[in-house]
Amino acid sequence: MVEINLKHIYKEYDGNDNYSVSDFNLDIKDKEFIVFVGPSGCGKSTTLRMIAGLEDISKGDLVMDGKVINDLAPKDRDIAMVFQNYALYPNMTVFDNMGFGLSIKKMPKDEIKKRVDNAAEILGLTDFLQRKPAALSGGQRQRVALGRAIVRDAKLFLLDEPLSNLDAKLRVDMRTQIAQLHQRLQTNMIYVTHDQVEAMTMADRIVIMNDGKIQQVGTPDELYNKPTNKFVAGFMGSPSMNFFDAELKNGRVSNGRGLDVAVPEGRLKVLREKGYDGKKLTVGIRPEDIHTEQVALEAMPDAVVSAKVEVSEFLGTDSMLYSRTGETEFVAQVNARDYHKPGEEVEMAFEMSKAHFFDDDTELTIE
Amino acid sequence: MQETIKRKPKRKGKKIPFAYYMMVVPIGILFFIFHTIPFLRGVFYSFTDWSGYGTWKFVGLKNYLYMFGNSNITHAYWFTFKFALFATILVNAIALAIAVGLNGKIKYQNFLKAIYFLPYMLGSLIVGFVFKFIFGNLLPSLGQTLHWGFMSSNILGTTHAWIGILIMTIWQGLAFNTLIYLAGLQSVDPEIYEAAALDGVNPWQKFMRLTFPLIAPFFTINLVLSVKGYLMVFDQIMAMTNGGPGNSTTSISVEIYTQGFQGSQFAIQSANAVVLFIVVLTISLIQLRVLNKREERLG
Amino acid sequence: MQANADLNNNTPAPRKSKKRKKKVNWTLTSVMMVLAIFAILGPLYITVVIALKDPSQMTNVLSLPKQIHWENFKNAWQMTNFPKMFLNTLFITVVNVIFTIFTNSMAAYVITRYRLKNKFFNMMYYYFISAMFIPFNVIMLPLVKEVSAFHMDNIIGITFLYIVFGLPQNIFLYSGFVKEIPTALEEAAEMDGAKPMQIFFKVIFPLMKPMHATVAILSFMWTWNDFLMPLVLLSNPDQQTLQLAQYVFQGQFSTQYNLAFASYVLVLLPVLIMYVFFQKYIIAGVTSGSVK
Ligand SMILES: Nc1ncnc2c1ncn2[C@@H]1O[C@H](COP(=O)(O)OP(=O)(O)OP(=O)(O)O)[C@@H](O)[C@H]1O
Ligand SMILES: [Mg+2]
């Protein structure tokens, strides 16, 4: 229903010399589900609040459907927002909470009722409409907050860590509910979270931020498989990627402290072309790309290390092996059938065709 | 298609809507007109010889110097300080004792609490009148029947009149102070006492080492409010003695009122008011500082 | 977020377990009871008894009246022009409470919310808070001149002054409370399209209910029992309050103690009745107004 463009947006708070958000550029297409993800304090909420109009934009343009709306009051932007702590009006019933925005707009009573009932139906809140928020569980409050946004029928939904106050199971349930809601409403949503799993599972596109700057924008698949820099590679995925400071020599990367594996021909060619032969670089490999099965060991004979398992976590289908080779520590995620007890010496194959290489100085992916 | 609006590159903060100013500024202006301007005018007059009407001229510090030489005014200060000191100490000591009693393992606790708080509801003027009768009629006649010399005359007519006022003030002042101390005592977690009991602490140590430090903030509130209130003492004096006999119970407030309005000392009493303000301010600030420091140490 | 529950939360929590209360200390109970009856209720008993007697029964002041003289009240009622004084006082009190709650809470809300973001509101905050240190006695001489110049030496004028003079204390009281209300509530209302006044009256004002109760009680007590302000500001006999009338009529009562005391009872009665009914709220309100 709406296109939004953020053009070179900067935010500088009073009494805070650094930009909390700098040079933020993003074009949001119609009906997209965008997720802002990043560590705490990276400026996600700030960006969201600038879009909402709750914070002034220090520099840059916020464009909605072709119009610069930097100075438009929040109430005139037709944006609905769900807050982290829900921000339900404690003195009003669930019904009044959801209908508040509509009654402010002087909508007829029966129309309000129709919309609220409809939203309550979708969210399973019909039985609670006459209750006060204090008499609801966390998950119910969360849904009221969503309902308040739904009834407004706004052009854009903003959600700031809406699930962070829920317990793990409820969080997963609500995750699906919100995704379904997006399907159903077909509006643009911008969703803020610091949980990369939420980001991966819900987003059409993810905007990953650090230190007030966008690191990468892309689909979950792009971010996971083609991270543009070391930060993105490390942030996406759990457990996170193993990084090694190593040197490329004779077609092998080694750190002189236990790690020494061959780089496959194709990757090697690129690295050589970029002039990394004989130079230091950072090697990254995801835990699931380290294998213990016999087949793998045979297929990649020159990328095998022998490691000692220090801690072993059984997770059902997989198990995590916190291992060490020489003085180098890393994590491998292997099939649960390949369970190994702590203390065991195990041969492990590094699937280097899936490895990532980063420049030591710029931390950018070498490609 | 795109409208670009010239904006200052770095406008900080979020603009506060005009409506919010309208919620503060008008009443702020009224406050300025009716509170601050009189205050400033009072300070101004204290440097003049204005008598409340007619012409005036600046006299510098003359009014202030006059104050120190005028025995009525110096006596009013002496009386007020003495009164405030005794009233503060006695009210707080007794209130603390009552609060500890109310906080004990007693029955009818809420009922008793309500009774002890009752005097707070009553206007000091009326209470003053009632006590005036008690001191002036009831006690003397009782004293005469019992042949108790010290009670057979009206204390308000003697040089001890201030004690009569003090007693009435204590009677009424206890209510509020007791309530605050009780709130303090009830905020203490009983488990602390249980722990102390296991350590073999005796009741006196318990009070001095545990209870008192824990209710120190409440002590601060009471002390500051008491001193400030008693330095302003007015209603009960007007009810009981009108400042007499002679001027023995004339407090600073009574002096400002009688001499400022009825006498012709408008300017001098303006100076007196300024000095009273400085005294109250200084004492309040010193108290807050000292007591907060002590609380920090205790905490 | 739902922390600002109801007024009762401000009363100190009753002591945790019933178990601890089991062993009643009867000695202490008796001491507290006797003290309460003699020291606190004694003077009130004297007041009522005298009000019900006639001079012939005054030889033994403390005894119960043999014959009840209700006419004391009638006479006092007429003599002090009680209905007029009562209505005057009631007017001051009620109008003051209503306007104080609306205007002062509004100012306090804005000042508290924006004082960290905006120098002007921060200045206002310190302005009002420092005015708390200026007692009325200090400003009364010039104020009286000013008030008579504005022709405000009447009931309406003094009511207006009470509303304005309560600001420092009430801003202080409300401010502590507003700080606890999460700003997300206002932001949510803003996103819902509410304008500043709507945000305040529909969202914030109802949440301040516990503090409104405290402020109402303190304002009521102040205006009902105040003597000094009426004394210096009101002169017209028609424009006096109950307290002031008691003072003015002292001379006329002279030694007609029964009449005088009947009159005191008439003044005290409304407050006492209110206390009987709302005792719990009054105590809670006064407590929460003084301790955080
Ligand atoms: N009102 C403010 N004044 C000054 N600095 C602020 C303000 N609000 C946020 N900041 C700063 O701006 C930066 C970004 O904050 P923001 O709240 O956007 O982070 P976030 O990504 O939402 O983090 P989280 O995941 O913890 O919510 C932080 O460094 C923060 O300290
Ligand atoms: Mg945030």
Side-chain angles (χ1 to χ4, degrees), chain A residues 44-45 84 160-161 192:
Chain A
K44 308 178 295 287
S45 299
Q84 180 168 6
D160 192 355
E161 308 207 21
V192 165

Side-chain angles (χ1 to χ4, degrees), chain B residues 14 16-17 19-25 27-28 30-39 41-42 45 50-53 98 100-126 129-134 137-138 142 171 176 179-180 182-183 186-187 189-191 194 218 221 225 228 232 234-235 238-239 242 253 256-257 260-261 266 269-270 273-274 276-277 280-281 284-285 288, chain C residues 11-13 15-16 20-21 23-26 28-29 31-33 35-37 39-41 43-44 46-47 50 58 61-62 103-104 106-107 109-111 114 117-118 120-121 124 127-128 131-135 137-147 150 152 160-161 163-165 167-168 190 196-197 199-200 218 220-221 225-228 231-232 243-244 246-247 250 257 261 264 267-268 271-272 274-275 279 282-283 286-287 290-291:
Chain B
K14 196 165 144 53
I16 295 171
Y20 286 131
Y21 285 94
M22 288 314 293
M23 289 159 89
V24 176
V25 172
I27 196 161
L30 290 175
F31 187 82
F32 185 79
I33 294 174
F34 290 102
H35 197 275
T36 308
I37 289 187
F39 176 70
R41 278 175 71 176
Y45 292 142
W50 202 43
S51 57
Y53 40 81
I98 295 178
V100 169
L102 285 175
N103 194 41
K105 294 185 171 59
I106 60 169
K107 223 169 160 61
Y108 316 119
Q109 194 188 33
N110 283 329
F111 172 74
L112 283 169
K113 182 174 159 189
I115 298 287
Y116 281 104
F117 186 65
L118 179 61
Y120 177 82
M121 304 296 295
L122 314 174
S124 323
L125 187 77
I126 308 261
F129 287 145
V130 172
F131 272 78
K132 182 184 181 183
F133 177 84
I134 293 176
N137 301 57
L138 187 62
L142 213 65
W171 184 83
F176 179 80
L179 182 74
I180 302 305
L182 190 57
Q186 291 184 330
S187 72
D189 183 352
E191 281 176 11
E194 287 165 5
F218 299 84
I221 296 167
L225 292 181
K228 201 176 150 213
M232 296 300 129
F234 184 81
D235 297 9
M238 295 300 282
N242 246 317
S253 296
I256 295 176
Y257 170 73
F261 287 120
F266 193 93
Q269 293 307 330
S270 292
V274 172
L276 174 63
F277 164 66
V280 170
L281 184 70
S284 303
L285 292 180
L288 282 172
Chain C
T11 35
R15 276 166 326 127
K16 274 182 202 146
R20 285 202 181 86
K21 280 221 114 177
K23 232 176 66 201
V24 173
N25 184 339
W26 283 105
L28 186 60
T29 307
V31 170
M32 297 307 292
M33 198 57 108
L35 197 65
I37 289 170
I40 308 294
L41 297 181
L44 295 178
I46 295 169
T47 312
I50 296 175
M58 288 293 280
V61 174
L62 296 177
T103 61
N104 293 11
M106 193 153 84
Y109 162 69
V110 176
I111 288 176
Y114 293 100
K117 293 184 203 152
N118 181 295
F120 172 74
F121 289 112
M124 292 296 273
Y127 172 53
F128 284 121
M132 275 207 297
F133 288 102
I134 305 178
N137 316 39
V138 169
I139 63 165
M140 71 182 175
L141 290 174
L143 180 71
V144 169
K145 298 280 168 211
E146 192 170 313
V147 160
F150 282 113
M152 282 171 56
F160 173 80
L161 289 179
I163 298 167
V164 175
F165 287 177
L167 264 174
E190 204 179 340
M197 281 288 181
I199 296 179
F200 179 71
L218 294 178
F220 173 89
M221 297 300 300
N225 287 331
D226 191 25
F227 166 57
L228 180 54
L231 177 68
V232 299
Q243 304 287 333
L244 181 55
Q246 293 309 306
Y247 182 73
Q250 269 311 290
Y257 294 116
F261 276 69
Y264 304 156
V267 177
L268 297 181
V271 185
L272 287 176
M274 211 186 68
Y275 187 62
Q279 172 250 112
I282 294 175
I283 290 183
V286 173
T287 311
S290 320
V291 296

